Amino acid sequence: MTERAPHITQADAKRLRQRYQAERRFKLYGQIAIAIAVSFLGILLISIASKAASAFTRHELVLSIDQPDFATRTDLTVSDFNLAVRDALLEEFPEIADDRLARAELFGLTTRLAVLPLARQVQDNPTIANLPIETRLALSDDLDLYLKSDLQSHRQRDIGVAGRLSRTATGSYRLTDAGPDGFASLLADPQMFRDTSGDILIGLAGAQFELLEITGAALVLKHLAGPLPPLGEQNQARIGATLLSTRDADRKVSNRQVAMAVHLLDEDRIERRFNSSLFFNSDSTYPELAGAAAAIIGSLLTMIITAVFAIPVGILAAVYLEEFSRKSLLTSIIEVNINNLAAVPSIIFGLLGAAVFLNTLGLPRSVPFVGGLVLGLLVLPTIIIASRAALRSVPPSVRDAALGLGASPSQAVFHHVLPLAAPGILTGAIIAMARALGETAPLLLIGMVAFISEVPNSPNDEATVLPVLIYKWFSGAERAWEPMTSAVIIILLTVLVSMNLIAVLLRRRFERRW
Amino acid sequence: MLQTLGHLPIGWLVIAPLTAAGFFAFYFGRTLVGAIPTGTTIGSRLNSQPNFHGYFLALCTVLPAATVFLFYLVFAEGYARSVLVAELPAYLTDQGQEQVELFLDRVSQFANLRAPGATGNILFDASVERFSAIKGSVRIFALAVAIIIAMGGFTIGRRSLGRSFPARSYVERIITGLLFICAAIAVVTTIGIVLSLVFETIRFFSLPDGPSITEFLFGTEWNAQTGQNFGAVPLFFGTLMIALLAMCVAVPVGLFSAIYLSEYASPGFRSWVKPTLELLAGIPTVVYGFFAATLIAPMVRNFAQWVNALPFTPDGLLAAQPTSALAAGLVMGVMIIPFVSSLSDDVINAVPQPLRDGALAMGATRSETIKQVVLPAALPGIIAAILLAVSRAIGETMIVVMAAGGRALITLDPTSDITTVTYQIVALLTGDTAFDSAKTVSAFALGFVLFGVTLVFNIVALRVVERYREAYD
C-alpha cells in the first residue's frame, strides 16, 4: 500500500482505506463474538468450580467419648449418643456448664444427627462400645462456612500487658493495663476500631473474652470460653486481640461459637478433611450431612434403563430406515417424524410420561424405571440420526459383496455393515446418554424430585438423579447449599466430560475413511 | 402364598427361561434340519441352511411369549389397581380420585418392599396384602400363559421345518418386521404425545372449574395455583420476551462466530474453537440455571439498582428483582449460541466456493464477499437455524425455572421477574398431583400450545434446510 498506482485518485484511496477499515472491523466482530462465547464458558466453569472447591472439604470435630454403659445397653438411641457427645463437649469447656445459653451455643457446634456415623459404628461393632471412642463429627454448616471463609479475615494483634482482672457487679470483667497509659492509645488506634466493622475477641491466658467497651483505663469484657484466669494481678501476661470482620448480630455463628471454634482449632480438635459424605451419604435436610450417593446410584439405574431401551431400539430403527425400507409414504412419515421429534422440547416428554406412564398405565411415580423410559424416548431420535449417519458412511460395496456371496439381506447387515458402523453408532449412543444424564425437566414431572434418604436398590425403588438433586439443593434455603450444589455440578460435569472424551477418542481410534 | 409370589422378580423369571428356550429351539431346529440327508439335485437340497431353521424355531418360541410378557409389564399394575379400587370401602372412594390415587401409590410402594411390615392401619395393611395377592395371581397367570404360548409356538414351528421349508425368507420377513416396529416407536411416541396432550386439553376445557378456550388464550390473569384464573397471555408474553432476549445474545454472537470460523479462521484455530463452542451445548441446562440464578441474576439486580440510583432516572424505574427475565434470557442466549453457530457454519460452508472466488476476483474484500455474496446465498439456512434456536428457547425449562421467577406479569422491564409456559408446567405438575383438578390439567393445555408452536417452528425450519440443501448438491 505504500506505493500508490498512478491512476488512483485521492478519493479512490480514501474509499479504499475505508473499505479496508470495514474489513478489519468485520473481522474484529467475529473475534469478539468468539471471545464472548468462550469467555462465558470460562466464567461459568470458573465460578462454579471456585464455589465448589470449599464443599470438597469440611471441618470435623474430633471428640473422644468414654461411655462404658454403651456396652451393656441394647436400646441405644440417637439421643444417647447426643448426650454422650454433649458431655464430651462440656468436658472441653467446663467453665460454661452453668450457663444455659452458653451451653446451647456449645451444643450448636454440631447438629443433632451428626452422631449417626458414630451410632452406626457402635451398632456394627458392639465391642468398641466400652472403650473410649474417638469420633469425628461434622460441624454445623454455618460454622463450617465461617471457618472456611471468615476465619481468613481474622486479624491478630498484641495490645499490651495485662494488669488486674476483676469482676463487675453485672457479671462482666474489667481488665486494666500494666502499662503507663492504660488502654488510651488503643482508642486512638484507627486499625483497632475504625477499620474493623466487626467484634473484637480478647484472649488472656487461654481464655477468650468479647470486648464490650474500652473505658480508657480498662477493658470491659464478657467471658466466652476457656478456663477463666484467677482474678487479681495477671503477672505480666500478654493480651491478644482478634479482630473479626463481622458483628455477632450479622451472622448465624455467635461470638462465643467463634471463640470456641478458635480454641478447638488451636488444640487440633477441629480438623479440615476431605468431605467424603458428599459421595457416600444420601440426601439430608442438614447440608453438612447431605451427600449425593443416592442420586449417583439413581442416575446410574436410570441410565441403565435408558440404555437398555433406547440404544437397541434406536440402532434397529436406523437399520430399518437405512437398509430395509423402501421409499413409501409410511417411511417418509417416519423420517420426518424422527427429525421433528429430535427438536421437541424435553419437557413435553415429561408431560407424555406423566399422562401415559403414570396416569394411564398406573406405573409408580419417582422410580428410575419410568424415568429411564421417558429419557429413552427423549434420546431415541438422537441415537437413530447418529446411527443412520454411521450406517450411511459404510460403502455399498460391502453390502454388494456380502449379497453377491449369497448372504441374506439381514446377514449382510448384521454380519458386515453393522460391525463396520459400530464405532460411529457407539459414539452417537454415548453422546445421547450424556444428554440423558444431564436432563432435568421431564424427570421433575414424573415425580423424581421427592426427598429420598435411602440409596435405591432397584429400578423400582423411589430415587432421584444428579441434575434433579442439583435443582433441589439449589432451592435449599441455607447458605451452605450453594457450595454443595456446585460440588454436585462438578461431579456431574466430570462424568459428562469423560463420556464425551470417550466418544471423541472412540471416533479418533476407530474412524475409517472409505 | 400369592403374596410371596407377588414379590418374585418377574423380570428374571421370564427373561432367563425365554433366553434358554430360545437357545434350545435354535440348536434343536438346526440339528433337526442338519440331519436331513441332502443330495445335489434341486429337489433334494435344503431350501434354507440349517441355521435359518434354527433361527426360525427360536423366533417362533420366543416372540409370542415375549409379547405376552410385554403386555403383562404394561397392564399388570393398572389391572391390580383397578381390582383393588373396586374392593375399597366406600368412605375412601368417596374422598375423590386424588385421595384414592395417593392411597394406591402408597399401597403399591409398600407392596413392592421385600418385607412390608405392618403399619397398624388395618385398612392399609389389608390393602397391601390384597394388592400383593392380586399382583401375585396376575404374575402366575402371565407366567403360565407365556409358557404355554412358548411351547405352542415351538410345536407349531417345529412341524413346519423340513427340506423344502423356506425358513430363510420367513426369518428375513420377521426380522424386517421387528426392525419396522423399532422404527415405528418414534411415530408411536409422537402419537402418544399428541393424543395425551389433546385428550387432557379437551378435558381441561370441559372441566366445571376450567376456563373457556378464549379465556385461556386471551385472558390476562393467571392464578393457576389457586385454580381461579387461567388467562395464559402473561405466560406467552414472558416466554416470548425471554426468547427474544436470548436471541439478542445468541444470533449476533453465534452468527459472527460462524462467519469467522468458516471464512477467516485458520484450520488449527477452528479445530480448537469449534469443539469449545459445542461444549456450551453439552452443559446440562440445570447448570446454566444455577449459573444464571447465582451469578448473573445478582449482577442484573445490582445493575438495575445502579440505574435506579442514577440522578436522571426516576426511582423505581427498573424492578430490580432477585430473579429476572434478563438474567434468564442472557444465559439462555449463551446456551443457544452453539445451535446458531454450528448450523450457520454448515450452511455457510455449503455455499459453493466459485461464488466466493467470483466475488474476490471482481475486487471485493472478504467482508464484502461475505456480506454481499455468501450471506445472501446462505440466508435461508441461517433463518432456519434461527428458527430452530427460537424453538429451543421457547421450550427451555430449567433456566427459567431457576432464574426467571414465577410471577405472571406483563411488563417490558427486563429486570422484573416474569413467568413462562415451561415454568408454569413444572410448577403445576411437580409434587403430588392428581389428574382431576383444573390446576394440574392446565399444564397439559400449556404443553399443547408449547408443542404446537415449537412443532411449527421445527417443520418450517427443517423444510427450509431440506430445500436449501438440495439447491447446491
Side-chain angles (χ1 to χ4, degrees):
Chain A
M1 290 301 297
T2 48
E3 236 174 275
R4 206 190 304 150
H7 57 272
I8 290 184
T9 65
Q10 205 73 31
D12 284 342
K14 194 178 166 210
R15 213 175 105 69
L16 203 56
R17 258 203 317 278
Q18 282 171 347
R19 284 177 63 201
Y20 281 123
Q21 270 169 7
E23 166 76 19
R24 276 197 296 277
R25 267 204 309 279
F26 193 74
K27 200 173 166 185
L28 186 68
Y29 295 150
Q31 286 162 338
I32 291 174
I34 289 176
I36 288 176
V38 173
S39 60
F40 242 106
L41 180 68
I43 293 171
L44 185 145
L45 293 180
I46 290 170
S47 81
I48 289 175
S50 63
K51 274 183 200 140
S54 80
F56 283 103
T57 58
R58 69 169 178 187
H59 287 91
E60 291 175 349
L61 180 62
V62 185
L63 272 187
S64 104
I65 292 179
D66 184 14
Q67 284 289 331
D69 67 323
F70 275 9
T72 54
R73 292 184 46 191
T74 52
D75 55 341
L76 285 172
T77 62
V78 169
S79 324
D80 293 316
F81 287 99
N82 260 310
L83 287 177
V85 164
R86 292 182 170 192
D87 288 344
L89 275 172
L90 276 179
E91 271 174 40
E92 292 290 325
F93 299 100
E95 63 281 355
I96 58 156
D98 303 329
D99 185 344
R100 206 169 52 82
L101 281 175
R103 259 193 348 245
E105 287 174 64
L106 174 63
F107 300 154
L109 294 184
T110 66
T111 42
R112 212 175 67 81
L113 290 180
V115 296
L116 278 180
L118 171 66
R120 287 205 193 99
Q121 203 185 341
V122 172
Q123 197 181 28
D124 293 345
N125 189 1
T127 53
I128 63 167
N130 47 6
L131 304 170
I133 309 168
E134 185 160 87
T135 183
R136 304 179 156 275
L137 305 173
L139 286 190
S140 82
D141 53 333
D142 291 318
L143 186 57
D144 184 53
L145 277 188
Y146 185 89
L147 294 182
K148 279 170 180 166
S149 56
D150 298 34
L151 189 66
Q152 269 76 42
S153 59
H154 280 190
R155 280 184 293 154
Q156 302 287 343
R157 301 241 345 226
D158 187 278
I159 56 169
V161 180
R164 264 185 73 80
L165 182 69
S166 55
R167 197 184 162 96
T168 65
T170 55
S172 54
Y173 295 88
R174 278 173 60 87
L175 180 64
T176 59
D177 189 2
D181 68 335
F183 291 105
S185 62
L186 277 183
L187 282 169
D189 183 353
Q191 271 215 320
M192 189 75 185
F193 292 104
R194 283 173 220 153
D195 294 357
T196 37
S197 52
D199 290 329
I200 297 170
L201 302 185
I202 298 293
L204 177 67
Q208 289 283 340
F209 299 86
E210 180 184 339
L211 180 61
L212 298 179
E213 60 175 315
I214 297 182
T215 57
L219 305 173
V220 181
L221 304 171
K222 176 185 163 195
H223 180 227
L224 294 178
L228 194 65
L231 299 180
E233 292 297 332
Q234 292 300 311
N235 301 326
Q236 305 289 312
R238 308 290 307 182
I239 310 171
T242 309
L243 316 186
L244 309 186
S245 58
T246 46
R247 291 195 190 290
D248 185 272
D250 298 339
R251 52 180 136 84
K252 292 195 166 173
V253 184
S254 71
N255 278 338
R256 190 187 300 272
Q257 286 177 322
V258 172
M260 287 168 171
V262 169
H263 178 80
L264 290 168
L265 269 174
D266 288 342
E267 294 196 341
D268 287 335
R269 309 302 296 265
I270 290 182
E271 287 178 5
R272 190 167 182 173
R273 290 201 140 208
F274 178 67
N275 185 2
S276 57
S277 71
L278 186 62
F279 296 93
F280 298 113
N281 283 15
S282 48
D283 205 1
S284 162
T285 43
Y286 297 100
E288 68 270 29
L289 302 177
I296 292 173
I297 301 296
S299 269
L300 192 70
L301 289 170
T302 310
M303 284 305 103
I304 290 175
I305 297 290
T306 305
V308 164
F309 166 65
I311 294 180
V313 171
I315 294 174
L316 295 182
V319 167
Y320 177 79
L321 292 174
E322 205 56 39
E323 309 283 340
F324 286 90
S325 70
R326 292 187 202 91
K327 274 258 179 229
S328 74
L329 186 66
L330 192 60
T331 51
S332 67
I333 286 177
I334 293 179
E335 281 189 36
V336 170
N337 176 54
I338 286 171
N339 287 335
N340 277 316
L341 208 54
V344 167
S346 63
I347 193 166
I348 298 288
F349 286 89
L351 286 174
L352 171 77
V356 174
F357 292 140
L358 300 189
N359 194 28
T360 308
L361 298 181
L363 295 175
R365 300 173 60 83
S366 317
V367 299
F369 181 69
V370 176
L373 282 185
V374 169
L375 293 182
L377 291 178
L378 176 68
V379 296
L380 193 59
T382 321
I383 297 180
I384 295 179
I385 292 171
S387 306
R388 287 188 71 177
L391 288 170
R392 213 175 298 141
S393 72
V394 178
S397 55
V398 173
R399 293 176 194 86
D400 296 343
L403 292 173
L405 288 171
S408 71
S410 65
Q411 280 176 327
V413 170
F414 288 104
H415 293 184
H416 301 282
V417 180
L418 206 53
L420 289 173
I425 292 177
L426 207 57
T427 311
I430 292 175
I431 288 171
M433 294 309 290
R435 184 176 163 210
L437 183 57
E439 200 56 68
T440 320
L443 299 181
L444 295 182
L445 301 195
I446 57 159
M448 289 192 87
V449 65
F451 179 81
I452 309 292
S453 59
E454 273 173 53
V455 176
N457 288 320
S458 81
N460 278 321
D461 289 346
E462 286 200 321
T464 188
V465 296
L466 281 173
V468 177
L469 188 75
I470 292 171
Y471 171 61
K472 259 166 54 191
W473 282 4
F474 159 78
S475 320
E478 281 96 345
R479 217 157 53 90
W481 285 120
E482 198 171 305
M484 295 287 285
T485 312
S486 310
V488 179
I489 289 179
I490 295 295
I491 296 175
L492 179 65
L493 285 182
T494 313
V495 178
L496 289 180
V497 167
S498 13
M499 283 172 84
N500 280 302
L501 269 186
I502 290 173
V504 169
L505 290 180
L506 263 180
R507 198 178 334 185
R508 291 243 171 102
R509 173 83 180 71
F510 292 106
E511 195 173 44
R512 272 173 86 166
R513 296 248 167 235
W514 300 92
Chain B
M1 167 65 184
L2 281 176
Q3 282 92 322
T4 17
L5 282 170
H7 290 292
L8 286 177
I10 179 102
W12 294 117
L13 219 59
V14 173
I15 290 171
L18 269 190
T19 318
F23 272 105
F24 170 75
F26 172 73
Y27 286 108
F28 185 86
R30 194 172 72 166
T31 328
L32 191 79
V33 176
I36 297 176
T38 55
T40 46
T41 57
I42 299 225
S44 64
R45 278 201 307 215
L46 282 176
N47 177 294
S48 309
Q49 292 200 327
N51 260 348
F52 278 105
H53 290 274
Y55 288 133
F56 177 76
L57 197 54
L59 286 172
C60 281
T61 315
V62 172
L63 272 189
T67 317
V68 170
F69 177 53
L70 218 65
F71 270 93
Y72 164 82
L73 271 190
V74 173
F75 295 111
E77 174 91 12
Y79 172 74
R81 279 179 180 228
S82 64
V83 172
L84 188 64
V85 168
E87 293 171 3
L88 285 178
Y91 72 86
L92 189 69
T93 43
D94 286 347
Q95 288 175 17
Q97 204 195 338
E98 191 168 347
Q99 288 301 317
V100 176
E101 286 289 328
L102 282 178
F103 180 79
L104 286 178
D105 281 344
R106 280 222 317 279
V107 167
S108 154
Q109 231 176 64
F110 236 74
N112 281 337
L113 296 176
R114 289 280 128 141
T119 56
N121 181 334
I122 296 174
L123 174 65
F124 184 75
D125 287 344
S127 303
V128 169
E129 199 164 307
R130 179 77 185 118
F131 189 75
S132 301
I134 298 169
K135 278 193 99 174
S137 50
V138 172
R139 202 160 280 202
I140 288 290
F141 179 72
L143 210 58
V145 171
I147 291 172
I148 290 171
I149 287 195
M151 278 166 30
F154 180 79
T155 326
I156 294 171
R158 212 204 99 161
R159 215 176 287 158
S160 45
L161 296 190
R163 190 188 308 245
S164 61
F165 179 65
R168 168 168 155 152
S169 66
Y170 276 113
V171 169
E172 286 295 314
R173 255 184 262 170
I174 295 172
I175 287 179
T176 315
L178 287 178
L179 294 178
F180 176 76
I181 290 173
C182 287
I185 285 182
V187 181
V188 174
T189 309
T190 312
I191 294 173
I193 288 175
V194 172
L195 281 188
S196 59
L197 290 180
V198 168
F199 179 70
E200 299 287 342
T201 306
I202 290 174
R203 219 155 62 93
F204 175 55
F205 289 120
S206 57
L207 279 177
D209 50 346
S212 65
I213 294 180
T214 41
E215 190 193 333
F216 176 73
L217 286 179
F218 303 108
T220 53
E221 286 287 318
W222 179 266
N223 269 318
Q225 289 292 352
T226 51
Q228 290 162 341
N229 308 85
F230 291 101
V233 171
L235 315 190
F236 300 148
F237 178 83
T239 308
L240 288 182
M241 171 142 164
I242 290 181
L244 193 71
L245 287 168
M247 297 322 286
C248 288
V249 176
V251 170
V253 175
L255 200 52
F256 272 107
S257 308
I259 291 171
Y260 187 84
L261 284 181
S262 57
E263 299 288 329
Y264 288 103
S266 66
F269 183 77
R270 188 184 151 88
S271 72
W272 275 106
V273 171
K274 205 167 153 50
T276 311
L277 286 187
E278 270 156 21
L279 211 60
L280 281 172
I283 293 176
T285 54
V286 69
V287 176
Y288 279 112
F290 180 77
F291 178 65
T294 56
L295 194 75
I296 304 296
M299 276 162 64
V300 168
R301 185 182 198 196
N302 289 342
F303 173 74
Q305 279 165 346
W306 176 77
V307 170
N308 281 345
L310 287 177
F312 51 87
T313 52
D315 251 8
L317 172 74
L318 297 174
Q321 294 289 331
T323 54
S324 58
L326 187 57
L330 278 179
V331 174
M332 196 189 285
V334 173
M335 185 194 85
I336 291 173
I337 289 173
F339 291 95
V340 179
S341 75
S342 70
L343 278 171
S344 312
D345 196 26
D346 288 347
V347 288
I348 290 173
N349 277 332
V351 174
Q353 191 61 27
L355 285 184
R356 288 190 193 85
D357 295 343
L360 291 170
M362 297 293 286
T365 63
R366 283 182 110 168
S367 61
E368 285 161 355
T369 310
I370 294 166
K371 278 186 276 193
Q372 287 158 28
V373 176
V374 178
L375 285 188
L379 196 63
I382 290 173
I383 288 175
I386 293 174
L387 284 183
L388 279 182
V390 171
S391 124
R392 193 96 199 170
I394 291 175
E396 172 45 42
T397 308
M398 290 321 290
I399 295 178
V400 292
V401 167
M402 292 163 87
R407 274 198 301 165
L409 291 178
I410 300 182
T411 166
L412 284 173
D413 178 359
T415 64
S416 160
D417 56 347
I418 208 169
T419 198
T420 68
V421 172
T422 48
Y423 180 100
Q424 290 300 325
I425 293 177
V426 169
L428 294 169
L429 273 183
T430 309
D432 279 331
T433 47
F435 280 82
D436 56 353
S437 69
K439 174 194 149 193
T440 317
V441 187
S442 67
F444 286 90
L446 291 176
F448 188 54
V449 175
L450 180 66
F451 179 71
V453 172
T454 52
L455 192 69
V456 169
F457 274 91
N458 294 339
I459 288 179
V460 171
L462 290 174
R463 263 285 165 89
V464 173
V465 169
E466 201 92 316
R467 189 170 296 173
Y468 180 70
R469 223 175 249 155
E470 281 161 13
Y472 287 118
D473 276 352

